[in-house]
Amino acid sequence: MPAMSRLGRLFAIVAWIEAFTWAGLLVGMFLKYVTETTEAGVWLFGRLHGGAFVLFVGVTLFVAVKLRWGWFRTLVALASSVPPLTTLLAEWWLKRTGHLADPADREATAPTAAELEPTR
């Protein structure tokens, strides 16, 4: 697996930030609607998560173009920002498949057709 590029690391950091703010918002909603103790969590994390969401979408589109993800990977990464904490799954999947590395590094470490042939 090739090493992550600088853009790949940027994507990973923003994915973690987006997930963290989602978690904070969920805790804030619990405190507001279940325990009815405070609205401060929703007030704070609602704003932070809104900014993190917009940042994640922008970084995802930028990184997708620069690292040549293609439409499917880009749509999956963008869709991961909607359900709570799934940006972490998208980051894990993209890292594991080598798509957070520079395209030249991915091609250099990709197996050749001869290496993929089953041995007899």
Side-chain angles (χ1 to χ4, degrees), residues 1-2 4 8-9 11-16 19 56 69 73 76-77 80 85-101:
M1 180 168 35
M4 270 201 295
R9 280 192 291 276
F11 176 83
I13 290 167
V14 173
W16 278 88
F56 180 80
W69 283 354
R73 278 182 196 82
V76 169
S80 76
L85 309 177
T86 51
T87 55
L88 299 178
L89 294 175
E91 184 265 337
W92 175 78
W93 171 60
L94 290 165
K95 185 184 345 177
R96 195 134 194 265
T97 57
H99 288 92
L100 293 182

Side-chain angles (χ1 to χ4, degrees), residues 31-108:
L31 293 174
K32 179 178 180 180
Y33 297 111
V34 177
T35 65
E36 297 180 356
T37 54
T38 181
E39 295 183 12
V42 173
W43 181 87
L44 175 64
F45 280 100
R47 287 161 172 74
L48 291 174
H49 180 65
F53 173 81
V54 171
L55 179 65
F56 180 80
V57 169
V59 166
T60 299
L61 291 172
F62 181 74
V63 171
V65 169
K66 294 294 186 180
L67 298 184
R68 297 186 222 143
W69 283 354
W71 66 269
F72 178 75
R73 278 182 196 82
T74 304
L75 289 178
V76 169
L78 289 171
S80 76
S81 65
V82 178
L85 309 177
T86 51
T87 55
L88 299 178
L89 294 175
E91 184 265 337
W92 175 78
W93 171 60
L94 290 165
K95 185 184 345 177
R96 195 134 194 265
T97 57
H99 288 92
L100 293 182
D102 285 320
D105 293 341
R106 280 198 313 258
E107 293 166 7

